């Protein structure tokens, strides 16, 4: 069904809600629409901040979707921006209410870092996830035992109960691939990732057998970058996220051990997209992946 159109020719707010999954995406969409309204009237962030008893920094956070919109602030901003129609205002309020609702990941707040929470929300809303890993298999493809093995390495001083909760969260993420409308996952892993026996031979065997099953899914693609691939010089894990909603631009996610970086400037996204495209071209093609994994399995004895 085509999106409902407003007099301006843009899709209505309600259509954006129907096309997006999860509060994180809706929060970003709301921020984009508020920024467009402000810029169309040539109102500065400072002036908008004063209208809601805040600063330009508060407006920046709101427009970038980093924080939710309080009803009082949203009401005052809409008035400042000349949005007076009851129906149009209610669409903004409805979007804000949905954007402020908790995501499924909130039940793991005891082990969820703030910098990773944003990624879960974006991942939940993505239509395409392209990822390159140099050390471990992507979390969306890990078995439970493999996840335990790598989590113990990453959190060596953490009590077992907390590690178990971290693994539980990782397994919950994988339900994304079981949805009726799953995103396309296109993963490239360095050859060394498949040859490191995290957890021992039996854990790795189970993990490789799991990969052989999951790559049969029509929305999952896996490639292996051999040691000689020069495009792998990026040297760091990279995830590119693309969304169906036009108000959500592509995002680049760069994860480190204790934090992460999110990039969305077109020039930055283009640079990482080029690296990912080179990796796809130089890595073993998807049709060769199963045979390569089977060869490693045979080597495990």
């Amino acid at each position: 069904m085509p999106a409902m159109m407003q007099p301006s020719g843009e899709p209505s707010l309600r259509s954006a809600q129907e096309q997006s999954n999860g509060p994180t995406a809706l929060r970003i969409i709301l921020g984009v629409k508020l920024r467009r309204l402000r810029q169309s009237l040539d109102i500065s962030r400072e002036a908008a901040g004063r209208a809601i008893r805040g600063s330009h920094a508060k407006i920046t956070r709101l427009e970038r979707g980093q924080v939710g919109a309080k009803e009082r602030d949203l009401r005052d901003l809409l008035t400042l921006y000349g949005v007076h129609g009851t129906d149009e205002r209610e669409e903004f309020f409805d979007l804000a209410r949905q954007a402020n609702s908790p995501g499924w990941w909130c039940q793991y707040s005891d082990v969820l870092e703030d910098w990773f929470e944003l990624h879960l929300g974006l991942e939940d809303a993505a239509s395409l996830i392209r990822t390159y890993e140099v050390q471990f298999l992507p979390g969306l493809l890990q078995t439970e035992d493999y996840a335990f093995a790598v989590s113990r390495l990453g959190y060596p001083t953490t009590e077992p109960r907390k590690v178990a909760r971290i693994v539980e969260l990782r397994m919950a993420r994988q339900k994304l691939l079981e949805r009726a409308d799953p995103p396309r996952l296109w993963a490239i892993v360095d050859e060394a990732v498949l040859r490191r026996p995290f957890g021992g031979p039996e854990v790795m065997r189970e993990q490789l057998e799991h990969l052989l099953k999951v790559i049969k899914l029509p929305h999952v693609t896996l490639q292996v970058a051999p040691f000689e691939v020069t495009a792998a010089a990026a040297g760091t894990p990279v995830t590119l996220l693309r969304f169906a909603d036009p108000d959500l631009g592509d995002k680049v996610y760069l994860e480190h051990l204790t934090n992460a970086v999110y990039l969305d400037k077109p020039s930055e996204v283009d640079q990482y997209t080029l690296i990912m495209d080179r990796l796809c071209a130089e890595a073993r093609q998807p049709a060769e992946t199963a045979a390569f994994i089977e060869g490693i399995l045979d080597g495990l004895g």
Side-chain angles (χ1 to χ4, degrees):
M1 179 181 295
M4 296 182 291
M5 304 300 289
Q6 301 202 71
S8 63
E10 291 190 0
S12 72
L13 290 170
R14 201 171 302 281
S15 68
Q17 294 172 15
E18 293 169 352
Q19 295 168 10
S20 302
N21 296 308
T24 301
L26 298 179
R27 197 167 63 234
I28 295 173
I29 290 171
L30 176 61
V32 167
K33 293 184 179 295
L34 290 173
R35 184 179 71 247
R36 287 177 180 169
L37 283 173
R38 179 182 60 77
Q39 292 176 338
S40 70
L41 297 171
D42 199 25
I43 297 174
S44 68
R45 288 192 177 92
E46 288 77 10
R50 287 194 294 272
I52 59 172
R53 301 151 297 280
S55 65
H56 71 282
K58 183 176 181 179
I59 295 297
T60 297
R61 291 193 297 272
L62 180 60
E63 291 181 349
R64 290 182 62 85
Q66 295 172 337
V67 296
K70 297 179 180 179
E71 184 172 343
R72 178 187 178 187
D73 291 343
L74 182 57
R75 182 175 64 248
D76 292 341
L77 284 176
L78 292 177
T79 299
L80 177 66
Y81 299 157
V83 180
H84 300 297
T86 301
D87 291 344
E88 190 175 2
R89 287 172 71 93
E90 183 53 36
E91 285 191 351
F92 272 97
F93 290 130
D94 188 32
L95 178 56
R97 282 191 288 271
Q98 293 194 44
N100 289 334
S101 63
W104 64 262
W105 48 87
C106 289
Q107 62 186 300
Y108 298 99
S109 59
D110 54 321
V111 295
L112 184 57
E113 302 287 352
D114 291 342
W115 52 267
F116 189 59
E117 181 177 357
L118 175 58
H119 177 65
L120 291 181
L122 293 173
E123 184 179 75
D124 194 59
S127 60
L128 171 64
I129 303 169
R130 299 178 70 186
T131 186
Y132 168 58
E133 289 286 347
V134 298
Q135 183 74 13
F136 309 113
L137 282 164
L140 291 173
L141 298 179
Q142 295 179 10
T143 63
E144 187 171 0
D145 286 342
Y146 182 95
F148 264 110
V150 298
S151 295
R152 291 190 189 102
L153 286 175
Y155 303 92
T157 61
T158 300
E159 61 183 35
R161 184 190 63 81
K162 185 173 181 180
V163 173
R165 285 285 287 167
I166 292 171
V167 172
E168 185 181 337
L169 168 60
R170 193 164 304 170
M171 295 300 101
R173 282 175 63 196
Q174 297 182 6
K175 294 179 181 178
L176 182 72
L177 299 178
E178 302 171 5
R179 289 190 329 206
D181 59 338
R184 182 183 179 191
L185 173 63
W186 191 340
I188 305 174
V189 299
D190 191 85
E191 179 177 342
V193 171
L194 299 181
R195 295 194 180 279
R196 291 191 180 98
F198 288 115
E202 290 306 313
V203 170
M204 201 62 197
R205 173 178 291 279
E206 180 188 25
Q207 174 64 74
L208 294 175
E209 290 173 345
H210 174 70
L211 290 179
L212 289 175
K213 294 178 182 178
V214 77
I215 60 177
K216 293 179 181 179
L217 296 173
H219 53 283
V220 176
T221 299
L222 179 64
Q223 290 182 258
V224 179
F227 293 127
E228 63 268 22
V229 168
T230 57
T236 183
V238 179
T239 298
L240 298 176
L241 299 143
R242 179 162 293 175
F243 310 89
D245 195 291
D247 284 326
L248 281 170
D250 292 358
K251 311 286 184 186
V252 175
Y253 173 71
L254 305 174
E255 182 176 321
H256 308 293
L257 183 60
T258 58
N259 57 34
V261 176
Y262 296 85
L263 307 175
D264 55 14
K265 292 182 180 178
S267 60
E268 295 172 327
V269 173
D270 289 346
Q271 184 174 357
Y272 280 97
T273 300
L274 178 61
I275 292 174
M276 193 71 76
D277 288 344
R278 287 180 56 200
L279 280 165
C280 290
E282 295 187 26
R284 295 180 185 275
Q285 294 307 295
E288 303 173 301
T289 298
F292 184 78
I293 294 174
E294 288 170 353
I296 297 178
L297 271 170
D298 291 340
L300 290 177

